[in-house]
């Protein structure tokens, strides 16, 4: 799905007419520095800074920092917003996303001081974009939800549709499909109150909304509704020759026909999309990867395994130059299945090895993305106030802050100990965090019938008793093979009926096993962390540590110490 608001925002930002100030040798001249610090007409300073930014990002960073110092010294929040916002933009363009979040948050604080709703939104959208790049969609979504409140508070109706579209797009990626559909439907209702003549961006909004609704219906398993909206969008895009949307709608229609198991029809639309991508010379575009994956899926379902494998090989060459494409796991899982059908053990081994590496990498990325940016948040709260207070006042403030900080640490320590004790007691009672499996039949799709789901779940339950999940090579493919199904079925079963991803499912089983063994096996308690991780099937100690914390809410070291302590107390009582 296409980015909407941010593309337009950056287009507006960077297409400003910039006046012609000069600089030499990649160093800000003393005259320009003096101009930034002393000029009373801030519009002229803005033009100078944007001109520098348009030519040299490194130099622009220095220039904006000079301007930021002036804004802080003079308590000028308009300057502080402008400098922080563009420092955030520079960081974003340099792929320094933590810094983008830092400056973006500071720009929001400054905009709130002057009660400028549009500027608050700009800061929120910048931070949201950075979180998206970090694959931290929950934090990104929270910024768009807050933006919705700002839109209402400041009556910024022009942004409402874009914001709803952005919320819908993120909710789709978070598998909050029903909520995503509601967002797109609200946006569609607002669109109906305007027209192509009254809104210059009407076409982009309309196509994004229609596309979003179509994707939601596809994910909900209503392929006929998905086709209805995608055909509607395709006709609209073709009439106005919006080629990139034409590609997207053809891809989505092809995917919907795969869902209906009409593979020949799906191929006709997918091949059209691929031809358009090739015409645009977009050989390194994620759309090409998606088209090839869907085409390979169709060929596989038509038992054309060699052709499917060859198409996937094209995709894997594409990954080398564009490793950020989505659906990498799905592509490698399909390649493994092709190897199995072709009885090519070397191919299976090759792709299984790569698949496991990708799964570990993506899982670790998700763990990292979900961690709170504690250091950056603290940095965002700091003020460059060295020019604002006297030395004595600074010492007084420092002492007070030290006392407050000490008190907070004490409070946090007590609270943490209490929380850990409660969590540990709950775990002792067997209350490991898990979701109740969904009742079979609540959500169906064309791939999995109630009977088939029941059969696979029963096989999966039996397989769990073999401790298969402790194998270091345990993955979606090997598990599917063990219960005589394929990765697509297994993934959907776990996702729909256990309400979790395959990785979460395996991790939950491993941590349950770990907790039980710590209680029942005296020797296991004194294993090194590396040995425990290896016994559970983890190739990385860091992965085990992160998963244990995520599953239980406690650190592994705290839990093991408590188990040893409890065991010691029990032995004393018995004695």
């Amino acid at each position: 799905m296409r980015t909407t608001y941010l593309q337009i925002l950056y287009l507006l930002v960077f297409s400003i007419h910039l006046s012609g100030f000069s600089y030499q040798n990649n160093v800000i001249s003393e005259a320009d520095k003096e101009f930034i610090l002393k000029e009373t007409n801030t519009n002229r300073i803005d033009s100078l800074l944007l001109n520098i930014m348009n030519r040299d990002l490194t130099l622009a960073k220095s220039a904006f920092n000079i301007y930021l110092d002036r804004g802080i010294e003079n308590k000028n929040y308009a300057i502080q917003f402008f400098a922080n916002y563009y420092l955030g933009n520079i960081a974003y363009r340099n792929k320094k996303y933590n810094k983008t979040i830092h400056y973006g948050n500071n720009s929001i604080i400054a905009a709130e001081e002057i009660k400028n709703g549009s500027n608050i939104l700009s800061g929120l959208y910048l931070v949201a974009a950075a979180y998206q790049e970090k694959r931290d969609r929950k934090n990104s979504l929270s910024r768009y939800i807050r933006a919705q409140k700002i839109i209402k508070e400041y009556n910024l109706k022009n942004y409402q549709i874009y914001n709803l579209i952005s919320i819908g797009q993120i909710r789709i990626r978070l598998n909050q499909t029903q909520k995503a559909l509601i967002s797109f439907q609200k946006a569609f209702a607002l669109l109906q109150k305007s027209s192509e003549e009254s809104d210059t961006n009407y076409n982009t909004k309309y196509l994004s909304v229609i596309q979003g609704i179509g994707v939601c219906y596809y994910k909900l398993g209503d392929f006929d509704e998905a086709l209805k909206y995608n055909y509607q969008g395709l006709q609209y895009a073709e009439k106005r020759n919006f080629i990139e949307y034409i590609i997207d709608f053809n891809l989505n229609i092809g995917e919907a026909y795969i869902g209906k198991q009409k593979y020949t029809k799906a191929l006709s639309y997918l091949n059209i999309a691929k031809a358009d991508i090739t015409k645009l010379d977009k050989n390194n575009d994620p759309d090409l990867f998606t088209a090839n994956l869907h085409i390979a899926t169709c060929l596989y379902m038509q038992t054309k395994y060699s052709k499917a494998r060859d198409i996937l090989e094209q995709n894997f060459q594409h990954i080398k130059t564009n490793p950020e494409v989505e659906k990498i796991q799905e592509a490698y899982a399909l390649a493994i299945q092709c190897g199995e059908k072709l009885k090519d053990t070397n191919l299976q081994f090759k792709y299984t090895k790569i698949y496991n590496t990708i799964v570990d990498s993506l899982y670790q990325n998700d763990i990292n993305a979900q961690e709170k940016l504690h250091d950056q948040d603290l940095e965002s709260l700091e003020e460059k106030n060295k020019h604002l207070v006297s030395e004595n006042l600074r010492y007084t403030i420092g002492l007070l802050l030290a006392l407050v900080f000490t008190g907070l640490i004490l409070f946090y320590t007590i609270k943490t100990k209490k929380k850990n004790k409660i969590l540990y007691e709950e775990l002792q009672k067997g209350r490991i965090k898990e979701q109740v499996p969904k009742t079979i039949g609540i959500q169906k799709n064309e791939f999995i019938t109630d009977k088939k789901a029941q059969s696979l779940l029963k096989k999966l339950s039996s397989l769990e008793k073999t401790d298969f999940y402790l194998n270091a090579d345990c993955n979606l493919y090997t598990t599917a093979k063990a219960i005589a199904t394929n990765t697509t079925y297994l993934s959907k079963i776990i996702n729909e009926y256990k309400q979790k991803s395959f990785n979460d499912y395996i991790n939950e089983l491993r941590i349950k096993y770990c907790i039980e063994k710590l209680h029942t096996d005296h020797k296991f308690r004194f294993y090194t962390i590396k040995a425990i991780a290896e016994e559970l099937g983890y190739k990385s100690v860091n992965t085990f540590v992160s998963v244990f914390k995520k599953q239980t809410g406690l650190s592994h070291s705290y839990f093991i110490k408590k188990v040893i302590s409890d065991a010691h107390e029990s032995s004393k009582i018995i004695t």
Side-chain angles (χ1 to χ4, degrees):
M1 294 179 66
R2 307 223 163 270
T3 304
T4 53
Y5 176 78
L6 280 170
Q7 285 181 333
I8 293 172
L9 174 65
Y10 290 127
L11 183 63
L12 291 172
V13 166
F14 296 114
S15 63
I16 298 171
H17 177 70
L18 305 174
S19 58
F21 290 83
S22 63
Y23 56 93
Q24 295 178 343
N25 301 325
N26 293 323
V27 177
I28 299 172
S29 69
E30 286 300 320
D32 282 347
K33 184 175 180 180
E34 185 74 10
F35 182 84
I36 292 169
L37 291 172
K38 302 297 183 184
E39 172 61 38
T40 56
N41 186 336
T42 55
N43 287 334
R44 296 191 67 207
I45 300 174
D46 295 350
S47 294
L48 168 64
L49 293 170
L50 291 172
N51 184 38
I52 295 172
M53 183 175 172
N54 197 44
R55 299 181 186 220
D56 188 317
L57 292 180
T58 302
L59 196 64
K61 182 180 176 182
S62 299
F64 276 108
N65 271 309
I66 293 169
Y67 200 35
L68 179 58
D69 286 339
R70 172 180 171 175
I72 292 171
E73 184 172 355
N74 297 334
K75 295 185 181 180
N76 186 318
Y77 292 105
I79 291 177
Q80 288 183 43
F81 165 78
F82 187 83
N84 274 305
Y85 178 74
Y86 282 100
L87 282 167
N89 269 276
I90 292 168
Y92 185 88
R93 291 166 71 176
N94 285 326
K95 298 185 178 182
K96 305 290 185 182
Y97 301 121
N98 287 350
K99 280 292 183 185
T100 303
I101 292 164
H102 163 65
Y103 288 119
N105 284 335
N106 283 348
S107 75
I108 294 166
I109 292 168
E112 287 172 338
E113 288 289 341
I114 55 178
K115 300 188 184 305
N116 187 315
S118 295
N119 286 353
I120 295 172
L121 282 184
S122 295
L124 286 170
Y125 290 140
L126 181 62
V127 173
Y131 275 121
Q132 275 280 63
E133 293 295 338
K134 288 171 64 65
R135 299 178 75 240
D136 187 349
R137 288 163 186 146
K138 290 183 179 179
N139 265 318
S140 183
L141 178 62
S142 71
R143 269 57 184 186
Y144 284 113
I145 290 173
R146 184 180 170 195
Q148 198 69 11
K149 295 176 182 177
I150 297 299
I151 289 167
K152 185 176 180 181
E153 181 181 347
Y154 289 89
N155 197 30
L156 300 170
K157 294 180 180 178
N158 290 341
Y159 298 95
Q160 195 164 10
I161 293 174
Y162 282 130
N163 205 71
L164 286 167
I165 292 169
S166 297
I167 288 172
Q169 289 173 338
I170 296 177
R171 286 198 186 281
I172 283 175
R173 287 171 172 83
L174 287 171
N175 292 320
Q176 299 174 3
T177 311
Q178 198 63 56
K179 290 182 178 179
L181 181 59
I182 291 170
S183 290
F184 286 121
Q185 288 172 335
K186 285 181 180 177
F188 190 63
L190 290 172
L191 265 177
Q192 291 177 318
K193 297 177 182 178
S194 60
S195 66
E196 193 173 342
E197 291 74 26
S198 61
D199 185 348
T200 54
N201 295 316
Y202 181 89
N203 289 330
T204 303
K205 294 175 184 176
Y206 178 86
L207 289 167
S208 297
V209 169
I210 292 297
Q211 186 183 16
I213 293 173
V215 170
C216 287
Y217 278 121
Y218 170 79
K219 285 185 170 289
L220 290 170
D222 192 339
F223 302 116
D224 289 329
E225 278 296 293
L227 285 169
K228 169 187 163 185
Y229 280 97
N230 279 300
Y231 274 126
Q232 186 176 333
L234 178 62
Q235 186 178 15
Y236 193 95
E238 285 179 336
K239 186 176 179 182
R240 291 156 183 80
N241 198 30
F242 282 21
I243 185 63
E244 292 198 342
Y245 278 100
I246 292 171
I247 290 170
D248 280 351
F249 284 119
N250 277 318
L251 287 174
N252 291 344
I253 290 169
E255 193 171 14
Y257 276 121
I258 290 174
K260 290 172 70 68
Q261 299 182 21
K262 296 184 177 180
Y263 304 114
T264 302
K265 191 129 187 177
L267 279 171
S268 65
Y269 285 94
L270 294 170
N271 284 321
I272 290 171
K274 185 173 179 178
D276 285 338
I277 294 167
T278 305
K279 284 178 187 176
L280 292 177
D281 194 24
K282 297 176 66 175
N283 293 327
N284 197 35
D285 190 277
D287 282 343
L288 179 61
F289 182 92
T290 302
N292 280 334
L293 174 58
H294 292 331
I295 290 169
T297 301
C298 291
L299 293 171
Y300 178 87
M301 298 307 292
Q302 293 176 333
T303 70
K304 300 175 182 177
Y305 306 123
S306 296
K307 288 185 177 180
R309 177 203 57 201
D310 293 343
I311 290 287
L312 289 169
E313 278 290 351
Q314 291 180 31
N315 260 0
F316 301 144
Q317 290 300 317
H318 173 64
I319 288 172
K320 291 178 182 177
T321 55
N322 189 5
E324 300 300 323
V325 295
E326 295 185 358
K327 300 187 176 182
I328 292 177
Q329 285 177 265
E330 189 177 337
Y332 273 104
L334 183 60
I336 293 167
Q337 289 177 269
C338 286
E340 183 179 4
K341 293 293 185 182
L342 293 168
K343 299 187 180 346
D344 187 337
T345 54
N346 290 332
L347 194 69
Q348 291 179 64
F349 177 77
K350 171 186 171 183
Y351 289 138
T352 300
K353 187 176 179 181
I354 298 172
Y355 177 90
N356 288 335
T357 302
I358 290 169
V359 168
D360 285 345
S361 173
L362 291 176
Y363 174 74
Q364 193 58 48
N365 285 343
D366 285 338
I367 290 293
N368 293 338
Q370 290 166 12
E371 291 175 352
K372 298 298 181 184
L373 295 172
H374 181 66
D375 293 339
Q376 284 70 37
D377 290 341
L378 286 177
E379 189 179 355
S380 296
L381 296 174
E382 291 177 358
E383 289 289 341
K384 294 181 180 180
N385 57 3
K386 56 186 177 182
H387 302 297
L388 304 180
V389 293
S390 66
E391 286 296 320
N392 289 336
L393 182 57
R394 187 185 305 173
Y395 292 142
T396 303
I397 292 172
L399 180 60
L400 288 172
L401 286 174
L403 290 171
V404 171
F405 187 65
T406 302
L408 286 173
I409 290 176
L410 183 61
F411 172 77
Y412 177 77
T413 302
I414 294 170
K415 186 176 179 181
T416 301
K417 284 183 178 180
K418 185 177 179 181
K419 178 184 175 183
N420 286 346
K421 185 178 179 183
I422 292 170
L423 284 171
Y424 180 78
E425 288 172 354
E426 287 180 350
L427 287 168
Q428 295 299 88
K429 297 173 184 176
R431 298 175 183 172
I432 299 173
K433 293 188 293 182
E434 66 175 336
Q435 293 174 304
V436 179
K438 195 187 276 188
T439 304
I440 294 178
I442 288 177
Q443 252 191 357
K444 300 179 184 177
N445 56 56
E446 86 298 349
F447 291 109
I448 307 172
T449 64
D450 289 350
K451 187 175 180 181
K452 181 180 286 185
Q454 210 135 25
S455 173
L456 291 176
L457 286 169
K458 188 175 180 180
K459 289 181 181 179
L460 200 58
S461 180
S462 298
L463 186 63
E464 288 173 11
K465 296 174 184 177
T466 68
D467 294 339
F468 77 100
Y469 47 84
L470 299 181
N471 192 320
D473 293 326
C474 174
N475 58 47
L476 187 64
Y477 168 70
T478 58
T479 306
K481 189 172 182 179
I483 61 173
T485 186
N486 60 48
T487 55
T488 302
Y489 288 172
L490 178 59
S491 180
K492 287 181 180 292
I493 280 288
I494 292 173
N495 190 264
E496 292 186 16
Y497 298 114
K498 291 184 178 293
Q499 291 189 318
K500 62 193 72 170
S501 68
F502 177 79
N503 285 337
D504 285 342
Y505 165 67
I506 294 299
N507 286 327
E508 187 175 290
L509 290 173
R510 287 175 171 176
I511 299 306
K512 280 184 179 179
Y513 175 90
C514 177
I515 289 173
E516 183 61 27
K517 189 149 186 175
L518 284 169
H519 282 300
T520 58
D521 187 338
H522 171 77
K523 292 181 181 178
F524 191 68
R525 299 170 200 159
F526 297 95
Y527 279 18
T528 64
I529 299 304
K530 183 179 180 182
I532 292 175
E534 287 177 352
E535 176 146 341
L536 297 178
Y538 291 109
K539 298 176 182 177
S540 162
V541 171
N542 290 335
T543 302
F544 162 67
V545 170
S546 299
V547 170
F548 193 96
K549 176 74 173 178
K550 181 181 177 184
Q551 288 287 327
T552 66
L554 298 170
S555 70
H556 66 283
S557 56
Y558 173 87
F559 188 88
I560 294 171
K561 285 177 183 177
K562 281 291 291 178
V563 171
I564 294 171
S565 174
D566 287 357
H568 182 66
E569 289 298 319
S570 297
S571 65
K572 283 170 62 179
I573 292 171
I574 292 170
T575 302

